[in-house]
C-alpha cells in the first residue's frame, strides 16, 4: 500500500519530501550557482602568469639562478624578484 505524506502540498513546488531547507529561494540559488560557475570557468583561459617574490639578500643569487632556469622551461611566464632592501626603498 502506498502512503502519502499529508504535508506535501504545504511544502511548495520547489521542495521534495526530506529535502534540506536552505533558506534561499530557488532563483537566488540558481544565480549563486551561475556566479560560481562563471568564476571557475574564467580562470581556465589564463595561459601565463607573473610570479612576484621577495627574497633575502643572502638568497638573492640562488633565487635569481632558479628564476632563470624557470624562465627557460616556461618562457610564457614572468618572474619578478626583489630583495627586502629594494622593497623597503619602494615604500
Amino acid at each position: 500500500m502506498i502512503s502519502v505524506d499529508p504535508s506535501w502540498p504545504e511544502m511548495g513546488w520547489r521542495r521534495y519530501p526530506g529535502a534540506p531547507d536552505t533558506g534561499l529561494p530557488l532563483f537566488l540559488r540558481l544565480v549563486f550557482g551561475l556566479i560560481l560557475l562563471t568564476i571557475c570557468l574564467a580562470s581556465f583561459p589564463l595561459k601565463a602568469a607573473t610570479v612576484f617574490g621577495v627574497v633575502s639578500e643572502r638568497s638573492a643569487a640562488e633565487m635569481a639562478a632558479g628564476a632563470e632556469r624557470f624562465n627557460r622551461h616556461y618562457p610564457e611566464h614572468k618572474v619578478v624578484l626583489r630583495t627586502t632592501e629594494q622593497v623597503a626603498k619602494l615604500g
Side-chain angles (χ1 to χ4, degrees):
M1 186 158 137
I2 299 174
S3 63
V4 177
D5 185 3
S7 63
W8 172 253
E10 298 169 4
M11 286 191 281
W13 64 273
R14 288 183 293 220
R15 295 203 41 200
Y16 55 91
D21 185 15
T22 61
L24 290 174
L26 178 63
F27 176 74
L28 288 179
R29 286 185 281 170
L30 288 174
V31 168
F32 183 69
L34 287 174
I35 290 171
L36 285 177
L37 180 66
T38 303
I39 291 171
C40 290
L41 292 177
S43 65
F44 285 117
L46 300 177
K47 300 277 185 205
T50 300
V51 178
F52 179 78
V54 179
V55 298
S56 68
E57 306 292 333
R58 294 172 61 182
S59 64
E62 289 121 12
M63 290 298 291
E68 287 178 19
R69 182 176 178 197
F70 181 84
N71 279 336
R72 279 193 305 250
H73 290 285
Y74 304 102
E76 69 275 6
H77 297 288
K78 181 179 176 184
V79 179
V80 178
L81 296 175
R82 298 288 181 253
T83 62
T84 53
E85 183 179 313
Q86 289 171 330
V87 173
K89 288 180 182 178
L90 291 175

